[in-house]
Amino acid sequence: MTTVEAPCYTVVFEDSSESPSTQELRLSLQKGSDEAKFDTLRKIIVSTINGNHQPQLLMPVIQYVMPSRNKQLKKLLHFYWEVCPKYDETGKLKQEMILVVNAIRNDLQHPNEYIRGATLRFLQKITRDVELLEPLIPTCRACLEHRHSYVRKNAVFAVYTVYRQHEHLIPDAPELLQTFLAAESDATCKRNAFVFLANCAMPKAVEYILQVFDQIPSMDELLQMSIIEVIRQDCKTDTRYRARYILLVSELLNASSHAVKYEAATTLTSLTQNPAAVKAAASCYVQLVQKESDNNAKLIVLDRLETLRSKHGHVLDPLVMDILQILSSADLDVRRKAIGIVLSMATSRNVEDIVLFFKNQLQKTQEQDFDKAPEYRQLLIQSIHVCAVKFSEVAASVVHALMDFLGDSNNPSALDVVAFVREVVEKFPPLRQTICGKLTQTLGDIKSGKVYRGVLWILGEYAEDAADIQNIFRELRKVLGEIPILASEQRLLEESGAEDGDAQKEEPQPKVEGGGKPKVLADGTYATETAFTSMSNARLEAVKAASKPPLRTLILGGDFFTGAVLASALTKLVLRYTEVGSDRRKANGLKAEAMLIMASVIRVGQSKFVNVPIDEDSSERIMNCIQTLSELQEKLVVHDIFLKDTRTAYAKMLSAQEKKAAEKREQESANEKIVQVDDLLTFRQFTKKTVDDAIDDAEDVVRATGSAEVHEDFISNLSRISQLTGFSDPIYAEAYVKVHGFDISLDVLLVNQTADTLQNLCLDFATLGDLKLVERPSVYTIAPHSFQSIKATIKVSSTETGVIFGSILWEGPGMSEQCVILNDIHIDIMDYIKPAYCTEAQFRSMWTEFEWENRVNVTTSISDPREYLHHVMKATNMSCLTPEGAVSGDCDFLSANMYARSLFGEDALANLSVERTDAGTITGHVRIRSKTQGIALSLGDRITMAQKENKPPA
């Protein structure tokens, strides 16, 4: 027995400050009460687990604790028998254990069923000790016939455990349990016995299934689950009962237990590819999602349903309306998953029903108090967008309904509607006139500047009828208010001043002595504020706060980007009217009106009535539009720029997006695993390709435990070794740092370089950042010139540059304390950051939301902007979101967006803006944004280090 490796137990913390001596423990066991004995035995167990066995206490435990009738003490005593040393130095069983075996036998015959059951459970933990088990086997077998089911069910598993480890002790166990199963009435006992047969005697388990075939649908849930598992295992071989199994599993789809229904549906799809069976399994999944209350379970079932749909194509199309009923769930993730499945099942036959259901749900988000209604509304709008673009026959029926949401207070939903309308109006020319008419009617309801910009662009590009253009101008006058804007605002201010003056004449105010109160200006100087200036400012604020038309409100609020888009749209409308309209007088009138509006926007942008003065870009853009209209007949080439080039650019963008989506679908549909001609074929590959792969739990366990993973080679392991002390220190220490997901394991090697024995050596670690030491290493004694390996585990809770530092303490000659400070270990955050992808809208939304920004200036010897972009991407593990076409070509300026996500779900955004100077060097900066400060600073440090490590070209 000395060669047998000792079992591994849970490490329990032992407080060394209260460790009594062996004599004190003996006295406490001898004279103490049951409570004192319980506490003492607990201390003995903890001490034994941590390596201090104290064999001299074995006899006192047998003498003073074993005779007790206290149930808690008996339970704790089982823990002690499990961990205490049972063999002497020669590997023979200690004589005292004969008394222990006798006591265990008495407990197995105890009249109390709890003690019997607990003792049977204890037997399962000492199956390595054959000499202890052998005298207890007859008593254990007798417990199978006990009157109480608690004893019988534990006796079954005790027999199972003993038979699996030592078959010769109970050679007839399969026949014994088969007889027991036939006579047993308790559901749990029957399940335990059946599990034994399934793992140790599969033919007998199959025989039992065939015997009780008709009663299985009415059996207990636990036994049904075990039977399904046996069917799954038996069908991996060429069984002749497959047809009967399919019939049985189909009946279990109607079981009352959700777990049984899920397992039955999963097993049925692995047994047959028959469309009726697949449809029945899918219908069962849909019912489970509708009836199950746990959202996590719903998501798991929906994943299984999506897998089924991807393998069986259009077999599940008739269930699309049933899947839509899942949208009644309150959880947004469940709704998003269900909508994704529905969109992948949409065909020309059912798309109208799907879109109609989406429209009804869209109306409910406004009428009823939905949880997360804005997000759900945005999800529905995006889904309708996908359907309408994919199936042109439904575009006309939904586009007008969606345009009612342009005035939605939830800005993302309105922006999604604008994106949808813009794509529809480009792809379906017959709908352009009606869409432009509807957009013109909704101009007064829009509240957002972004939505206004999208709508104005659409109207400027696609309004092609002279009457429509005149109608657009009329509606724009309504949303702009009185023109010129500056003159009307000034008149309102003067009228307000006149009213105040009349009020002052009617009610004369007492004269105020003094010149007024001092006021500090922006430059730090003092000015005097009189009652007159205070009243003027109050009147100006009142004029600003007055109710105004929506577009006028945006311009006065400082949104001059929208003003520039308005100028561009007006220019396009006038240019098109001159082409399609025959009335020159009306054309000149529209041109004059458009120029007046543009000039009015510039004038008011330079006045005191706006919150923010107009920027140079917007002013220059509007002035270009005015110049274009003033030279209308002289520069005809400008017509093509305004009327054709922008629309052509948008059409190219749409085609590029479609091409990219098609490539992605083709890549996903391509078979990833390519079988070579000379590869060896297994028998499973001769089955039909449409059959789902049989679920192999053993393979899942191997995959989950990482046993099948490729291990790192020796060279890569060496690169992770950090030297902690110097070669001249009394102790040499180095650590191998290994990252396992959310854990960091440190394997520290200590070398005693002195000729003295180092006692009570303690390796003390501390952490900086979001790192937490799981357990502190124990105290060791190292002989002269010997080695000691110490392992420590550290938990990581966020992506932040962490530092591990510490020291080594020990007692040298003369009990003098000595210490060596360790070098710091810096944790590389690149182990936790992975490239990720998001849409442009999501990137902009997160960029606006995230408050932490780190700006890193570019200092590098790289001369090519694109090469520097790839250098930064490689150093930070970030992916480039900017399309390849946008960054390709020979250009001295480059701007690109990058994105990554950490294992903890943290988003990291970056914007690279660089320019190549005349000297051939690159200047610019990288801006990093994140929700937390740590990841922004860590990525900035990483970029800075990458720039320093980059050597200048030779």
Side-chain angles (χ1 to χ4, degrees):
M1 290 299 296
T2 54
T3 60
V4 178
E5 186 177 338
C8 177
Y9 302 105
T10 305
V11 176
V12 180
F13 174 69
E14 182 180 14
D15 190 356
S16 57
S17 62
E18 53 171 40
S19 53
S21 64
T22 304
Q23 188 61 30
E24 290 174 345
L25 293 172
R26 180 192 293 270
L27 285 174
S28 181
L29 291 175
Q30 182 177 355
K31 298 182 178 179
S33 60
D34 282 350
E35 290 77 9
K37 290 179 180 178
F38 183 87
D39 188 55
T40 304
L41 189 57
R42 182 187 63 80
K43 293 178 181 177
I44 295 174
I45 293 173
V46 171
S47 176
T48 305
I49 288 176
N50 287 292
N52 186 12
H53 298 299
Q54 297 177 319
Q56 59 270 34
L57 290 176
L58 177 61
M59 201 60 206
V61 170
I62 294 174
Q63 284 180 313
Y64 306 117
V65 179
M66 203 164 63
S68 174
R69 296 185 177 183
N70 186 295
K71 293 184 177 62
Q72 285 185 323
L73 264 180
K74 282 187 175 294
K75 183 67 177 176
L76 199 62
L77 201 57
H78 290 162
F79 288 128
Y80 179 70
W81 299 141
E82 185 181 347
V83 301
C84 73
K86 308 174 186 65
Y87 300 91
D88 55 19
E89 292 80 2
T90 61
K92 294 183 179 179
L93 193 69
K94 292 183 178 180
Q95 296 296 323
E96 296 92 332
M97 298 309 295
I98 299 175
L99 301 174
V100 175
V101 171
N102 189 48
I104 294 174
R105 185 189 295 110
N106 292 337
D107 285 343
L108 287 174
Q109 297 171 340
H110 200 280
N112 185 299
E113 61 271 7
Y114 168 76
I115 293 179
R116 277 205 189 196
T119 309
L120 287 166
R121 290 171 67 98
F122 163 68
L123 289 185
Q124 301 174 39
K125 299 180 181 181
I126 58 169
T127 51
R128 298 170 67 96
D129 306 309
V130 186
E131 297 179 51
L132 284 178
L133 285 174
E134 193 168 4
L136 303 173
I137 296 302
T139 315
C140 183
R141 295 177 61 130
C143 288
L144 289 171
E145 302 174 0
H146 193 269
R147 57 178 178 79
H148 202 282
S149 60
Y150 179 75
V151 177
R152 296 199 302 274
K153 74 177 183 181
N154 283 295
V156 170
F157 270 157
V159 171
Y160 171 40
T161 310
V162 172
Y163 180 80
R164 189 171 57 180
Q165 295 286 338
H166 311 287
E167 186 176 339
H168 64 280
L169 294 181
I170 317 179
D172 61 335
E175 293 77 12
L176 178 67
L177 267 297
Q178 187 180 24
T179 307
F180 172 84
L181 183 59
E184 182 57 53
S185 58
D186 182 74
T188 308
C189 296
K190 292 173 73 173
R191 191 280 308 264
N192 291 2
F194 186 78
V195 168
F196 171 86
L197 294 179
N199 287 276
C200 301
M202 177 64 81
K204 295 186 181 298
V206 174
E207 182 183 341
Y208 175 75
I209 292 176
L210 298 177
Q211 287 175 357
V212 296
F213 191 85
D214 297 330
Q215 290 85 31
I216 291 176
S218 59
M219 284 183 175
D220 183 73
E221 169 190 355
L222 297 174
L223 190 55
Q224 287 177 341
M225 294 281 285
S226 301
I227 289 173
I228 291 175
E229 179 63 27
V230 168
I231 290 175
R232 189 181 296 162
Q233 296 294 331
D234 191 37
C235 285
K236 289 182 179 180
T237 62
D238 189 16
T239 178
R240 64 179 186 274
Y241 303 117
R242 181 181 291 270
R244 299 191 67 183
Y245 286 157
I246 293 174
L247 179 63
L248 173 61
V249 174
S250 300
E251 291 184 17
L252 290 178
L253 292 177
N254 301 317
S256 57
S257 168
H258 289 180
V260 174
K261 293 175 75 170
Y262 175 78
E263 292 295 334
T266 304
T267 305
L268 183 62
T269 56
S270 67
L271 296 180
T272 177
Q273 79 281 9
N274 184 278
V278 172
K279 192 182 298 183
S283 180
C284 179
Y285 284 144
V286 174
Q287 293 176 15
L288 281 175
V289 178
Q290 292 175 349
K291 295 179 181 179
E292 180 61 44
S293 57
D294 185 10
N295 289 328
N296 292 324
K298 288 183 178 183
L299 291 172
I300 292 172
V301 177
L302 284 173
D303 280 333
R304 179 63 66 180
L305 186 62
E306 169 63 19
T307 304
L308 205 61
R309 183 211 59 78
S310 63
K311 291 187 177 182
H312 295 280
H314 297 290
V315 174
L316 308 185
D317 286 352
L319 298 175
V320 66
M321 297 310 295
D322 295 331
I323 299 175
L324 283 173
Q325 301 302 320
I326 298 173
L327 297 184
S328 59
S329 172
D331 186 73
L332 191 63
D333 291 330
V334 174
R335 289 172 173 169
R336 183 177 288 109
K337 196 81 174 176
I339 286 178
I341 296 174
V342 168
L343 291 179
S344 61
M345 296 170 63
T347 62
S348 56
R349 295 181 179 180
N350 57 24
V351 67
E352 292 184 1
D353 296 331
I354 293 173
V355 171
L356 180 61
F357 188 90
F358 286 160
K359 287 167 63 177
N360 294 335
Q361 289 289 307
L362 206 54
Q363 293 297 329
K364 289 181 180 179
T365 60
Q366 289 187 314
E367 298 167 0
Q368 301 178 12
D369 186 17
F370 263 82
D371 183 29
K372 295 185 178 179
E375 293 88 344
Y376 184 38
R377 190 180 308 135
Q378 184 179 1
L379 179 62
L380 289 171
I381 290 172
Q382 292 171 350
S383 305
I384 294 175
H385 181 176
V386 172
C387 291
V389 172
K390 191 175 180 181
F391 303 96
S392 58
E393 59 268 22
V394 299
S397 63
V398 298
V399 67
H400 294 288
L402 284 188
M403 281 193 283
D404 293 335
F405 293 90
L406 285 173
D408 194 354
S409 57
N410 181 36
N411 196 29
S413 298
L415 287 175
D416 285 332
V417 174
V418 170
F420 165 64
V421 173
R422 186 171 56 196
E423 190 169 349
V424 168
V425 81
E426 168 63 28
K427 290 189 172 182
F428 308 113
L431 300 177
R432 289 176 182 174
Q433 186 172 4
T434 56
I435 289 176
C436 289
K438 180 68 174 178
L439 286 177
T440 306
Q441 297 173 10
T442 58
L443 282 174
D445 301 327
I446 300 174
K447 304 178 181 64
S448 166
K450 289 184 178 180
V451 180
Y452 256 120
R453 293 196 289 270
V455 171
L456 289 172
W457 186 87
I458 294 172
L459 292 176
E461 288 290 340
Y462 300 101
E464 298 172 344
D465 187 68
D468 291 341
I469 295 174
Q470 290 180 346
N471 189 31
I472 292 171
F473 266 85
R474 282 194 294 270
E475 291 298 324
L476 284 175
R477 290 190 204 104
K478 294 179 183 178
V479 296
L480 279 171
E482 187 179 350
I483 301 293
I485 301 175
L486 178 59
S488 60
E489 293 294 315
Q490 185 67 41
R491 191 178 68 253
L492 285 175
L493 182 61
E494 292 172 355
E495 291 174 357
S496 175
E499 292 176 1
D500 291 342
D502 294 340
Q504 285 181 2
K505 289 178 182 178
E506 294 174 4
E507 298 180 9
Q509 298 293 329
K511 187 177 180 181
V512 179
E513 298 294 334
K517 53 185 178 180
K519 184 179 180 181
V520 181
L521 297 179
D523 58 355
T525 59
Y526 286 95
T528 302
E529 183 181 29
T530 63
F532 177 74
T533 57
S534 299
M535 291 178 62
S536 299
N537 292 336
R539 287 198 299 271
L540 181 60
E541 294 299 326
V543 170
K544 287 184 178 180
S547 178
K548 297 180 179 67
L551 189 52
R552 188 189 191 98
T553 303
L554 289 172
I555 293 174
L556 291 175
D559 188 359
F560 291 103
F561 184 26
T562 302
V565 175
L566 171 64
S568 177
L570 290 173
T571 305
K572 294 175 185 177
L573 291 172
V574 171
L575 290 174
R576 188 164 286 111
Y577 190 85
T578 57
E579 291 184 354
V580 299
S582 57
D583 192 340
R584 304 300 303 171
R585 183 179 177 184
K586 287 185 178 179
N588 290 333
L590 289 180
K591 180 173 72 171
E593 185 175 357
M595 294 174 71
L596 176 61
I597 293 173
M598 297 178 205
S600 178
V601 172
I602 294 178
R603 286 289 308 280
V604 78
Q606 298 168 346
S607 69
K608 61 183 177 181
F609 292 98
V610 293
N611 296 336
V612 181
I614 188 170
D615 57 284
E616 293 183 9
D617 290 340
S618 299
S619 178
E620 183 179 356
R621 175 67 170 161
I622 297 173
M623 287 302 297
N624 287 338
C625 293
I626 295 176
Q627 185 179 3
T628 300
L629 292 181
S630 65
E631 301 171 352
L632 195 58
Q633 303 300 329
E634 300 172 9
K635 297 182 178 179
L636 298 178
V637 68
V638 181
H639 291 219
D640 292 340
I641 296 175
F642 273 97
L643 298 182
K644 296 181 180 179
D645 290 358
T646 52
R647 188 187 300 186
T648 304
Y650 179 63
K652 286 183 179 178
M653 188 187 80
L654 284 182
S655 62
Q657 289 178 352
E658 292 175 356
K659 183 179 178 182
K660 190 174 181 180
E663 290 175 354
K664 185 178 180 181
R665 285 195 299 269
E666 185 178 350
Q667 187 177 1
E668 290 175 353
S669 61
N671 191 5
E672 296 180 359
K673 187 174 181 180
I674 301 175
V675 180
Q676 298 297 330
V677 176
D678 55 348
D679 281 354
L680 182 65
L681 297 179
T682 60
F683 288 105
R684 183 180 295 182
Q685 293 203 351
F686 288 116
T687 60
K688 293 183 179 180
K689 297 294 183 183
T690 53
V691 182
D692 288 356
D693 294 336
I695 297 170
D696 193 343
D697 293 330
E699 292 181 5
D700 292 342
V701 170
V702 170
R703 225 178 272 119
T705 54
S707 302
E709 294 179 0
V710 179
H711 297 285
E712 293 184 344
D713 57 4
F714 180 70
I715 300 300
S716 62
N717 288 343
L718 287 178
S719 65
R720 293 182 174 271
I721 292 179
S722 301
Q723 184 177 340
L724 302 182
T725 63
F727 292 108
S728 60
D729 288 320
I731 295 180
Y732 173 75
E734 64 182 22
Y736 168 58
V737 183
K738 178 67 175 177
V739 178
H740 299 280
F742 303 112
D743 296 336
I744 299 174
S745 65
L746 299 178
D747 189 353
V748 184
L749 175 66
L750 302 180
V751 181
N752 182 3
Q753 301 191 105
T754 67
D756 302 320
T757 299
L758 306 182
Q759 297 182 350
N760 295 330
L761 183 140
C762 175
L763 180 60
D764 190 18
F765 280 121
T767 58
L768 183 66
D770 287 336
L771 306 176
K772 183 181 179 183
L773 191 65
V774 177
E775 54 181 302
R776 300 196 176 277
S778 304
V779 177
Y780 298 92
T781 299
I782 304 182
H785 303 292
S786 66
F787 301 82
Q788 178 66 49
S789 179
I790 302 175
K791 295 187 184 324
T793 305
I794 294 173
K795 284 281 184 186
V796 185
S797 57
S798 73
T799 310
E800 185 176 349
T801 301
V803 181
I804 304 172
F805 52 94
S807 60
I808 303 176
L809 303 171
W810 73 91
E811 293 178 358
M815 303 298 289
S816 61
E817 290 190 358
Q818 298 186 23
C819 172
V820 171
I821 305 298
L822 304 178
N823 287 336
D824 298 342
I825 302 175
H826 293 267
I827 303 303
D828 188 3
I829 66 166
M830 290 302 104
D831 292 323
Y832 300 98
I833 292 181
K834 303 298 179 187
Y837 295 91
C838 66
T839 63
E840 182 182 357
Q842 291 171 334
F843 183 91
R844 290 181 180 274
S845 175
M846 288 188 289
W847 187 269
T848 306
E849 177 188 353
F850 292 168
E851 56 185 5
W852 290 105
E853 178 173 316
N854 187 13
R855 179 181 172 126
V856 180
N857 292 324
V858 175
T859 55
T860 179
S861 59
I862 300 176
S863 58
D864 184 14
R866 292 188 65 189
E867 184 182 347
Y868 181 75
L869 171 64
H870 293 306
H871 179 67
V872 172
M873 289 168 55
K874 183 178 179 181
T876 59
N877 276 359
M878 301 186 85
S879 60
C880 182
L881 300 181
T882 305
E884 182 65 25
V887 297
S888 60
D890 187 14
C891 182
D892 290 338
F893 179 80
L894 175 64
S895 178
N897 294 332
M898 294 176 288
Y899 176 62
R901 179 183 283 267
S902 73
L903 294 178
F904 309 96
E906 300 167 316
D907 297 301
L909 313 176
N911 173 259
L912 171 72
S913 297
V914 293
E915 183 180 6
R916 182 163 50 198
T917 63
D918 295 336
T921 59
I922 292 179
T923 61
H925 56 265
V926 182
R927 296 165 65 193
I928 305 162
R929 286 197 182 183
S930 64
K931 188 172 289 186
T932 57
Q933 183 184 20
I935 190 171
L937 295 177
S938 301
L939 281 175
D941 294 341
R942 183 74 183 181
I943 294 175
T944 304
M945 291 174 58
Q947 292 184 147
K948 291 180 180 178
E949 293 170 0
N950 182 50
K951 303 289 190 302

